[in-house]
Amino acid sequence: MKLHKKILTHYQSCTSPVDKEGYLSKKKQRNGSYHRRWSVLKANLLFYQERPADRHLLGVIVLEGCDVRRADADGRFGFCLLFQGPEPKSYQFAAGDEVTLESWLRALRSASHSYLSLLLQNLHIQYQEVKQHQGSGDSSPSNLNLGPAPSPPPPSSSSGLWSSSVIIKKSPKPWHKWNTHVTPLNVPTVPSYAEWPLVGSNPQEEFRVLHELYGQEIKKARERWLTSRQPPEENIQEDLIDLT
Amino acid sequence: MRFNEKEMVHLSRQPSEMVAELGMRGPKKGDVVKRRLVKLVVNFLFYFKTDEEEPVGALLLEQCRVEKEDNLTFSVAFLEDAERKYLFECDSEEQCEKWIDSIIKASYEFMRRNLIFYRTEIHRLTGKDPLEQYGISDEARFQVTNGLQHSSRDASSM
């Protein structure tokens, strides 16, 4: 399959926003050795090259349908991009330190087009509701000076999700609420009509995207929990019953 | 330049609303019109030879201009050279317009701009950041930019 490289090369170097860039160690697929690569994350694409100034790109990884996971197997601050499919494939990387690793994990997890599409749908709905409430004269603490609002560019994506008007149930459960240092989230007002996801043209795809979205929350919460957990107490090692 | 080809082929098989057999012509002078099964998946335009499993190629739909050429034809142009256009012939004007609309809206950059618009507006109207509930408020990709390239660079140089 031909991937038009000039288009990609141009996109990598043009002025569109760079979502993250930096050096990463990338594991070679063939011989398992790690090589330092300047990596640039833009949209749902992870580009890599030898040095920042290089015009020649070594490669690009399209980040659709991949799982981003910590992978400490090689004893570094490692992560991998895991693609499920007919032939599961994993791309291994390592960062220089924990902070950098976490930053890349966050950036990569929110990189896919499907993720953005889902977020956009949610915000579109929220926006419409907010406008509705504003219009009906609901008192809101914020700005009441409503001039003629600019009509937003109607967003839609080419996947079946938009045209079938999928409505996602409001506000995924705040999984991280059990962290007592976080103030409770404000749950958006419940709309007056029941909201259930309508079946679009491909329920499997919709579920996968929803699962991914909520799954990321859980992953974050789990990681936070793992790092904040107290070390097990010594006396658990002892027998509960003294048989001597 | 390497790319994750197997995953791209797998991606090209995902269901899409925009799939059709169109007459496709490349940008070079000698290129002729060929019937191709054209499929829009995320921000890529895949094109297949009819009845083939693997796409012939894929075009990344970022930094491109999509235009109506005539009633049945639209073009996609890349880079600064507006003359280098890929041409697509449709069966109806309606189909042609639908493709133009879909391709524009499939662009990641287009979607990002919309997201930032909604985020800003919702925040302005309610005082709350709608991205907070997802824990992604600080992600560089969802920040309001002034149109210039900005990046989240690592302090470590490894």
Side-chain angles (χ1 to χ4, degrees), chain A residues 4 11 20 122 142 163 217, chain B residues 17 47 106 109 125 134 154 157:
Chain A
H4 294 246
Y11 181 61
K20 184 144 187 74
N122 278 351
S142 59
S163 58
E217 288 292 311
Chain B
E17 246 204 358
Y47 51 99
E109 297 303 336
L125 295 169
Y134 302 114
D154 296 323
S157 60

Side-chain angles (χ1 to χ4, degrees), chain A:
Chain A
M1 189 191 94
K2 176 181 178 180
L3 186 65
H4 294 246
K5 290 164 190 174
K6 273 198 185 141
I7 300 168
L8 272 117
T9 310
H10 174 74
Y11 181 61
Q12 193 266 5
S13 57
C14 80
T15 56
S16 62
V18 173
D19 299 312
K20 184 144 187 74
E21 59 187 351
Y23 278 109
L24 286 171
S25 281
K26 185 177 178 294
K27 191 176 189 177
K28 267 191 140 19
Q29 298 290 314
R30 295 245 179 108
N31 59 25
S33 60
Y34 279 82
H35 291 253
R36 196 168 95 135
R37 295 287 178 248
W38 179 255
S39 310
V40 177
L41 174 63
K42 260 197 184 189
N44 54 347
L45 304 163
L46 181 65
F47 297 93
Y48 53 96
Q49 59 203 93
E50 279 190 20
R51 283 174 303 271
D54 282 357
R55 303 229 91 220
H56 170 64
L57 295 183
L58 289 173
V60 64
I61 298 172
V62 178
L63 302 165
E64 290 301 319
C66 82
D67 200 6
V68 182
R69 289 192 195 168
R70 263 178 198 267
D72 298 327
D74 293 320
R76 304 163 185 237
F77 300 100
F79 66 93
C80 69
L81 303 175
L82 183 63
F83 289 87
Q84 301 292 358
E87 292 177 41
K89 183 90 174 278
S90 170
Y91 294 89
Q92 310 258 60
F93 293 86
D97 54 56
E98 179 65 22
V99 170
T100 309
L101 169 62
E102 286 185 11
S103 179
W104 275 104
L105 289 174
R106 275 197 305 274
L108 290 162
R109 281 178 182 146
S110 57
S112 77
H113 190 279
S114 351
Y115 180 78
L116 180 60
S117 179
L118 194 66
L119 273 180
L120 194 52
Q121 283 177 72
N122 278 351
L123 258 62
H124 175 68
I125 290 162
Q126 276 187 52
Y127 176 75
Q128 286 185 321
E129 283 168 3
V130 166
K131 291 302 254 186
Q132 246 180 21
H133 287 162
Q134 294 273 327
S136 66
D138 264 24
S139 68
S140 93
S142 59
N143 178 26
L144 292 173
N145 177 20
L146 300 171
S151 57
S156 72
S157 81
S158 56
S159 73
L161 298 177
W162 272 111
S163 58
S164 56
S165 305
V166 170
I167 298 173
I168 314 293
K169 208 169 176 192
K170 263 295 170 269
S171 154
K173 285 200 166 51
W175 296 100
H176 43 284
K177 250 196 173 173
W178 47 261
N179 178 345
T180 53
H181 298 297
V182 173
T183 53
L185 298 172
N186 284 318
V187 179
T189 52
V190 178
S192 53
Y193 50 94
E195 281 189 318
W196 290 99
L198 298 178
V199 176
S201 60
N202 184 14
Q204 279 187 331
E205 169 69 20
E206 288 160 23
F207 176 73
R208 193 189 64 74
V209 174
L210 275 174
H211 177 72
E212 200 180 279
L213 182 63
Y214 295 164
Q216 286 174 12
E217 288 292 311
I218 298 166
K219 274 181 203 154
K220 278 177 212 154
R222 184 170 179 274
E223 283 189 23
R224 226 173 285 136
W225 178 69
L226 283 172
T227 52
S228 69
R229 202 164 57 157
Q230 302 285 334
E233 305 224 321
E234 286 295 314
N235 55 17
I236 290 171
Q237 307 285 337
E238 296 173 355
D239 293 339
L240 292 173
I241 301 169
D242 187 354
L243 295 170
T244 56

